[in-house]
């Protein structure tokens, strides 16, 4: 059975889904409303015996209202869409909460490298844990990610987080996420980056606090 609805695994995934649903409902109402009016007019204006076609230039008041009134309705509804979009954008992209942990995400042709904090709880020190195509995090912990690219434009995409962020060569971009359930999920590159783009996939492992501590301990022991 095909799963048409991805789970909402980050704390802001529902906000994004609700915004998309809201826009879909509004446009759906407009679309089907337009179809209903169109078919009604077609039915009422269908050919009848002895009736002559009316030539319209578009300046007639009773004709223009079919353009101006829907136009005003769309502008009014757009205000709600803009308000919702600004709210979600500010919450996710501008209001950067304080992190409990930091992970570095590096894209390159054609793999993802992840640098995790080691036992000292700080990134950029000698005990950092580095993995290729595996990102390990702890559920319920707020992370900042430091996104980089070594070569060309990539895109760090975690569908279950509703996260999609360009990795730009020469820049380090900070974003955040907080997972709300454990499990194993997909990471993708969502920007065509060369012949191996389709193979540039990775796995996200979300552990419990105990599971993450055990993974960190195991990985640190393997480094010795």
């Amino acid at each position: 059975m095909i799963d048409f609805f991805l789970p909402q695994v980050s704390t802001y995934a529902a906000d994004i889904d609700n915004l998309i649903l809201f826009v879909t409902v509004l446009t759906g109402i407009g679309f089907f409303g337009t179809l209903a009016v169109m078919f009604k007019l077609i039915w009422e204006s269908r050919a009848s015996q002895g009736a002559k076609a009316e030539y319209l230039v578009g300046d007639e008041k009773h004709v223009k209202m079919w353009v101006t009134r829907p136009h005003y309705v769309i502008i009014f509804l757009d205000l709600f869409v803009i308000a919702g979009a600004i709210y979600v954008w500010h919450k996710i992209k501008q209001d950067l909460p304080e992190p409990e942990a930091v992970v570095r995400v590096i894209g390159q042709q054609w793999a993802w490298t992840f640098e995790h904090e080691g036992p000292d709880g700080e990134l950029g020190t000698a005990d950092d844990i580095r993995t290729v195509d595996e990102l390990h995090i702890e559920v319920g912990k707020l992370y900042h990610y430091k996104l980089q690219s070594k070569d060309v434009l990539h895109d760090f995409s975690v569908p279950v987080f509703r996260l999609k962020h360009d990795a730009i060569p020469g820049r380090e971009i900070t974003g955040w996420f907080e997972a709300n359930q454990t499990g194993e999920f997909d990471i993708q590159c969502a920007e065509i980056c060369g012949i191996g783009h389709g193979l540039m996939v990775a796995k996200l492992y979300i552990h419990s606090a105990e599971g993450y501590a055990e993974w960190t301990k195991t990985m640190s022991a393997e480094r010795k």
Side-chain angles (χ1 to χ4, degrees), residues 87-98 144 176:
Y87 167 77
V88 173
W89 179 266
H90 183 269
K91 178 179 180 179
I92 299 173
K93 295 296 186 180
Q94 292 182 290
D95 185 17
L96 197 65
E98 287 296 317
H144 277 191
W176 71 279

Side-chain angles (χ1 to χ4, degrees), residues 60-127:
E60 296 83 1
K61 187 175 181 180
H62 71 286
V63 174
K64 290 179 68 176
M65 74 175 186
W66 289 104
V67 176
T68 55
R69 290 181 183 178
H71 187 201
Y72 293 141
V73 171
I74 291 173
I75 291 175
F76 176 72
L77 295 178
D78 277 348
L79 297 177
F80 292 94
V81 174
I82 292 170
I86 290 175
Y87 167 77
V88 173
W89 179 266
H90 183 269
K91 178 179 180 179
I92 299 173
K93 295 296 186 180
Q94 292 182 290
D95 185 17
L96 197 65
E98 287 296 317
E100 299 174 84
V102 181
V103 61
R104 182 169 287 109
V105 180
I106 304 170
Q108 65 187 83
Q109 293 175 316
W110 289 277
W112 293 103
T113 301
F114 302 101
E115 297 181 358
H116 311 75
E117 296 173 347
D120 66 357
E122 294 185 14
L123 191 65
T125 57
D127 69 345

Side-chain angles (χ1 to χ4, degrees), residues 132-198:
V132 177
D133 291 338
E134 288 187 10
L135 172 59
H136 293 258
I137 63 173
E138 181 181 330
V139 67
K141 179 175 285 189
L142 198 150
Y143 283 81
H144 277 191
Y145 60 85
K146 304 293 185 178
L147 182 59
Q148 302 174 354
S149 171
K150 282 188 174 181
D151 37 44
V152 300
L153 189 67
H154 298 284
D155 192 294
F156 180 55
S157 172
V158 187
V160 293
F161 280 178
R162 308 303 190 266
L163 169 60
K164 183 176 180 294
H165 208 153
D166 282 348
I168 302 173
R171 291 182 58 185
E172 181 177 85
I173 302 171
T174 301
W176 71 279
F177 55 74
E178 181 180 354
N180 56 22
Q181 60 182 276
T182 59
E184 177 184 336
F185 305 98
D186 292 329
I187 297 173
Q188 306 167 337
C189 177
E191 184 70 39
I192 295 177
C193 55
I195 194 170
H197 165 70

